[in-house]
């Protein structure tokens, strides 16, 4: 059985990751740039690119970050498109459109489902929740 030695670079990276996790836990708004700025105060010298690589590898992101590193594709439509993109209505309550939007907050994600009447162009109903139940 072959022994694998831990290189000094691996050891330093592991130490930097632990410190980055501590800094991020203290303030989750900190992304890799702020983490890199905090390192000299903790007697650690590291290039910003290295900090960015390690934070990305460990998925340490600012809570305000738009890019999450996961490219998910939407699944198939839940219902058939019976309107064939003809979005006009002659009377009220003839055609409604709905949409679900995910918003990230400090407490986690929040889902907003809104229903719009095409004829009056008004929102006729909406619902907020932390998860989809149906």
């Amino acid at each position: 059985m072959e022994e694998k030695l831990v290189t000094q670079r691996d050891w330093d990276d592991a130490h930097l990751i632990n410190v980055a996790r501590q800094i991020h836990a203290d303030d989750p708004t900190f992304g890799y740039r702020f983490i890199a700025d905090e390192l000299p105060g903790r007697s650690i010298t590291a290039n910003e690119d290295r900090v960015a690589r390690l934070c990305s590898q460990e998925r340490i992101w600012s809570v305000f970050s738009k890019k999450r590193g996961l490219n998910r594709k939407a699944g198939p439509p839940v219902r058939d498109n019976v309107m064939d993109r003809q979005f006009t209505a002659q009377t009220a309550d003839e055609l409604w459109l709905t949409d679900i939007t995910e918003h990230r907050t400090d407490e986690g994600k929040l889902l907003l489902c809104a229903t719009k009447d095409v004829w009056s162009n008004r929102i006729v109903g909406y619902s907020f929740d932390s998860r989809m139940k149906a």
Side-chain angles (χ1 to χ4, degrees), residues 58-71:
E58 296 297 313
R59 296 187 175 185
I60 302 171
W61 292 298
S62 168
V63 293
F64 296 120
S65 175
K66 299 284 184 209
K67 185 173 151 188
R68 294 287 178 204
L70 301 173
N71 295 322

Side-chain angles (χ1 to χ4, degrees), residues 99-119:
D99 189 31
I100 299 174
T101 308
E102 181 179 308
H103 300 274
R104 298 210 177 260
T105 66
D106 290 340
E107 289 83 28
K109 71 178 180 180
L110 180 67
L111 297 168
L112 166 64
C113 177
T115 304
K116 177 182 175 178
D117 182 9
V118 173
W119 182 75

Side-chain angles (χ1 to χ4, degrees), residues 11-134:
W11 184 261
D12 292 342
D13 282 352
H15 180 67
L16 197 146
I17 288 168
N18 286 338
V19 173
R21 286 188 192 284
Q22 290 170 356
I23 292 170
H24 186 70
D26 290 342
D27 191 347
T29 63
F30 279 14
Y32 75 90
R33 289 184 181 100
F34 284 113
I35 290 172
D37 291 343
E38 291 287 315
L39 292 176
R42 298 183 186 220
S43 303
I44 298 174
T45 305
N47 183 318
E48 191 173 287
D49 291 337
R50 181 177 176 201
V51 175
R53 177 179 54 82
L54 292 173
C55 285
S56 177
Q57 170 187 314
E58 296 297 313
R59 296 187 175 185
I60 302 171
W61 292 298
S62 168
V63 293
F64 296 120
S65 175
K66 299 284 184 209
K67 185 173 151 188
R68 294 287 178 204
L70 301 173
N71 295 322
R72 293 191 177 129
K73 300 215 183 305
V78 177
R79 306 281 287 184
D80 291 334
N81 183 2
V82 295
M83 295 308 300
D84 197 29
R85 303 202 57 82
Q86 300 298 317
F87 300 117
T88 56
Q90 305 303 317
T91 62
D93 298 331
E94 180 183 351
L95 176 61
W96 287 354
L97 302 176
T98 62
D99 189 31
I100 299 174
T101 308
E102 181 179 308
H103 300 274
R104 298 210 177 260
T105 66
D106 290 340
E107 289 83 28
K109 71 178 180 180
L110 180 67
L111 297 168
L112 166 64
C113 177
T115 304
K116 177 182 175 178
D117 182 9
V118 173
W119 182 75
S120 65
N121 206 27
R122 292 185 176 176
I123 301 295
V124 294
Y126 62 91
S127 175
F128 290 100
D129 208 335
S130 60
R131 62 189 180 98
M132 277 194 265
K133 297 177 188 160

